[in-house]
Amino acid sequence: MDGARSGNDTAGSERRKPAAKGEKLADWADGRLGLYGLAKANMRKVFPDHWSFMLGEICLYSFLILILTGIYLTLFFEPSGVEVIYHGSYVPLNGVPMTRAYESTLDISFDVRGGLLIRQIHHWAALVFVTGMLVHMMRVFFTGAFRKPRELNWLFGWLLLFLGIITGLTGYSLPDDLLSGTGIRFADGAILSVPIVGTYLSFFLFGGEFPGHDIISRLFPVHVLLLPGIMLGLVVAHLILVFYHKHTQYPGPGRDQKTVVGMPFLPVYMAKAGGFFFLVFGVLALMGGIASINPVWAFGPYRPDLVTTGAQPDWYLGFSEGLIRVMPGWELNFWGHTLELGVFIPFTLFPLLLLALGLYPFLEAWITGDKREHHILDRPRNMPVRTGLGAAWLALYVVLLIGGGNDIVATHLHLSINSITWFVRVSFFVAPVVTFLVTKRVCMGLQRKDRDKVLHGRESGTIKRLPHGEFVEVHEPLAQDQLFTLTQHEQNPPYEIGPLVDANGVRRPVRPGQRVRARLARVMFGSESHIPKPTVEEYRELTSGDHHH
């Protein structure tokens, strides 16, 4: 009895042992925030795995690095247009008048410990951030990942791309060197081309006649506070929706609109994401350490009467500059006023071309009338018109990028700048059309190849001689998982208006929007835009006997 009592006392004392501090803290937080239930429901959420999903992670990590390096640079940069005489470490500029903004940029580059490295990491991260967003959006576009329920997330990503471009413009304008000043002059000319209100907008932005003394102090809070704050909110909302909707996945066995095949968020996905963050940070640090970018000391301070030779913006703004450079110098004069069409038209086209990219998911949803949720991605070859449109948009971007650097292309390739300008003008209209037609044809060819592989199998490389002397290559039947991947996509008939006359002979009213929708549906999803999938009967007929040689 004493032994039993002693054992019970021991067990009771173990049960009454006080909780550890970490456990108490967890209980305290769970009682007020409900973290345990939230973690239990979401931390084991499954995410699919594919290399292309890392594009979005590169954008996220580049943005975080931009914030970290930007905070460091903010501690030393002075956004002031006050003119000073430089007496610093960079001897070639000693005694040269410049703004305090440019002087502080030189101080960061030559006097602040690690300042030049951080500056260059910041600039490289900005380029990688915008590049990653564009490539990530193209991946989403070509695979149809923007369809319901992710249209809102597509808009968030599109806004991040647009704001990233504007943030880049404000960022490289802050040092007030000759290159950035030339870019600001370019932006001021575009603003002045706006009819009626252009002059007022310019005076409001610059605080008077260009270049004024307020532009740097006004761009600084926009660059370090306003735009990053909006973008941070969009990034958080974007990630919340990705987590809520679950990630899209490529077609394959076991994957459907309700089942996700992948790895849990914790610990697998988080461990991989953490390692990838440090990999991105390391690559950007290496680029910042060995690859010089934006050497402001080589350009000198900005002066309104000077322009740098071969001045080029960062690549993501070369698109807009190309529009203006190759546009003919049209202008209209009436009632004592001049309308600069040669600047205003391309200045208007730039946001319109970006807007077309942002609104495309809603256009496709209207054409298809599809209200279902989509969690399985399309293979780009199975949507030839959409793939062709995306390729045409990229072709237009590349053509205008060449136009934005027509002087650099001319000097490096020893060509006439007029020839390059006319090439870009013609290619602006021709290149997207040719790219669309070629891309669509390639996609159709790939569809035919998939159909042939399903019906006849895969070429084995084994040559067989038939009894009558003919040599043929033996084809091996595809595995079931390959057959599923090649045939799982839908081929729904396109939207049609239907009979124009009802059963009573009365003509039905058809709105113009319905006619446009039907025409677009035939172009995008009609018989000319896809190769019919093999039917079950066709497959059984060809595979019932010895048809694989």
Side-chain angles (χ1 to χ4, degrees):
M1 293 295 292
D2 292 341
R5 188 180 302 110
S6 176
N8 291 336
D9 290 344
T10 301
S13 63
E14 290 179 354
R15 286 194 297 270
R16 291 191 298 271
K17 186 178 180 179
K21 292 183 178 180
E23 187 178 351
K24 288 182 179 180
L25 179 61
D27 290 339
W28 183 89
D30 180 59
R32 289 152 181 81
L33 302 175
L35 296 179
Y36 177 76
L38 185 66
K40 185 178 181 180
N42 295 292
M43 291 299 101
R44 298 293 292 176
K45 193 178 184 73
V46 173
F47 281 83
D49 192 14
H50 192 269
W51 67 266
S52 65
F53 298 155
M54 292 192 298
L55 296 171
E57 295 183 42
I58 291 175
C59 302
L60 174 62
Y61 302 150
S62 300
F63 182 67
L64 294 178
I65 294 167
L66 278 171
I67 292 177
L68 293 174
T69 54
I71 292 173
Y72 183 85
L73 294 175
T74 303
L75 301 176
F76 304 98
F77 180 74
E78 294 187 31
S80 172
V82 176
E83 189 170 284
V84 297
I85 303 298
Y86 180 70
H87 296 286
S89 301
Y90 189 65
V91 177
L93 289 178
N94 273 335
V96 176
M98 59 184 64
T99 60
R100 184 69 188 104
Y102 184 67
E103 183 187 40
S104 64
T105 305
L106 294 178
D107 292 340
I108 292 173
S109 302
F110 296 109
D111 297 315
V112 175
R113 187 178 296 275
L116 180 58
L117 176 64
I118 298 299
R119 266 196 65 233
Q120 297 202 146
I121 293 176
H122 188 76
H123 204 133
W124 278 119
L127 295 180
V128 171
F129 177 54
V130 180
T131 304
M133 284 194 293
L134 182 61
V135 178
H136 177 59
M137 287 191 70
M138 288 298 100
R139 197 278 301 175
V140 172
F141 181 88
F142 287 125
T143 59
F146 53 75
R147 293 171 296 174
K148 184 181 178 181
R150 296 175 178 84
E151 304 97 330
L152 188 59
N153 227 7
W154 169 267
L155 279 183
F156 286 165
W158 178 82
L159 283 172
L160 281 169
L161 176 62
F162 188 78
L163 292 177
I165 293 174
I166 302 302
T167 307
L169 172 63
T170 59
Y172 82 68
S173 300
L174 288 177
D176 199 36
D177 60 289
L178 191 55
L179 179 62
S180 67
T182 303
I184 286 291
R185 179 198 291 271
F186 176 86
D188 180 61
I191 293 172
L192 287 173
S193 70
V194 178
I196 303 175
V197 299
T199 305
Y200 298 99
L201 290 175
S202 175
F203 271 61
F204 173 77
L205 180 62
F206 291 93
E209 191 74 29
F210 177 86
H213 299 284
D214 301 329
I215 184 62
I216 298 175
S217 59
R218 292 181 177 183
L219 287 179
F220 183 72
V222 172
H223 178 73
V224 305
L225 185 62
L226 179 62
L227 293 178
I230 297 174
M231 294 173 69
L232 182 61
L234 288 173
V235 167
V236 172
H238 186 80
L239 293 177
I240 290 174
L241 286 180
V242 168
F243 205 89
Y244 175 73
H245 290 143
K246 71 185 178 182
H247 210 296
T248 53
Q249 54 186 340
Y250 285 89
R255 303 171 184 178
D256 54 38
Q257 303 295 349
K258 296 183 179 180
T259 305
V260 180
V261 178
M263 297 292 181
F265 184 70
L266 277 177
V268 178
Y269 189 81
M270 282 299 295
K272 293 172 65 176
F276 193 48
F277 168 77
F278 289 107
L279 178 62
V280 173
F281 206 156
V283 171
L284 288 174
L286 181 65
M287 294 169 66
I290 66 176
S292 178
I293 186 171
N294 197 23
V296 294
W297 55 89
F299 308 130
Y302 176 66
R303 284 177 48 183
D305 59 330
L306 296 179
V307 176
T308 52
T309 302
Q312 300 290 311
D314 285 333
W315 72 267
Y316 48 84
L317 284 169
F319 174 58
S320 61
E321 183 157 339
L323 280 167
I324 293 181
R325 284 198 185 191
V326 303
M327 180 71 185
W330 297 342
E331 64 180 34
L332 295 177
N333 295 286
F334 55 92
W335 297 330
H337 297 277
T338 301
L339 181 60
E340 289 288 348
L341 297 177
V343 178
F344 179 66
I345 290 178
F347 182 57
T348 308
L349 278 177
F350 172 65
L352 289 180
L353 289 172
L354 288 176
L355 185 63
L357 182 65
L359 296 181
Y360 178 84
F362 303 95
L363 175 64
E364 184 174 304
W366 174 68
I367 293 173
T368 60
D370 190 357
K371 306 296 182 183
R372 300 170 300 167
E373 289 193 0
H374 294 273
H375 303 289
I376 300 296
L377 298 173
D378 291 327
R379 300 176 75 210
R381 66 184 64 183
N382 293 330
M383 302 295 291
V385 174
R386 181 206 294 157
T387 304
L389 290 174
W393 193 92
L394 290 175
L396 179 62
Y397 200 105
V398 171
V399 166
L400 292 175
L401 198 60
I402 296 173
N406 56 359
D407 53 342
I408 300 297
V409 175
T411 55
H412 281 65
L413 300 182
H414 307 290
L415 299 173
S416 167
I417 192 170
N418 292 327
S419 300
I420 297 172
T421 300
W422 274 104
F423 167 78
V424 174
R425 288 175 178 175
V426 175
S427 299
F428 178 85
F429 300 98
V430 175
V433 176
V434 173
T435 303
F436 172 81
L437 295 176
V438 171
T439 303
K440 181 182 176 183
R441 188 173 182 85
V442 170
C443 290
M444 299 288 283
L446 291 173
Q447 287 188 47
R448 291 188 183 92
K449 181 181 178 181
D450 287 346
R451 175 183 170 86
D452 185 70
K453 287 174 65 176
V454 170
L455 292 176
H456 302 286
R458 180 180 58 253
E459 297 176 355
S460 65
T462 303
I463 305 300
K464 181 178 180 181
R465 184 178 181 181
L466 301 181
H468 59 277
E470 180 185 0
F471 289 92
V472 296
E473 184 178 11
V474 177
H475 285 214
E476 298 177 350
L478 298 180
Q480 289 298 317
D481 60 335
Q482 294 175 308
L483 289 173
F484 175 81
T485 302
L486 295 179
T487 59
Q488 54 79 36
H489 60 283
E490 299 177 346
Q491 290 184 336
N492 299 319
Y495 167 80
E496 294 181 354
I497 297 177
L500 299 179
V501 180
D502 61 17
N504 298 321
V506 179
R507 187 175 181 83
R508 294 192 305 113
V510 179
R511 298 189 300 273
Q514 291 177 292
R515 297 181 185 275
V516 173
R517 179 184 174 190
R519 291 193 184 98
L520 291 175
R522 282 196 299 271
V523 170
M524 294 187 67
F525 308 105
S527 59
E528 299 296 324
S529 299
H530 70 270
I531 303 299
K533 295 191 300 182
T535 63
V536 177
E537 292 74 16
E538 289 177 318
Y539 179 76
R540 287 176 178 172
E541 180 182 355
L542 286 174
T543 58
S544 58
D546 188 16
H547 295 283
H548 292 286
H549 58 269

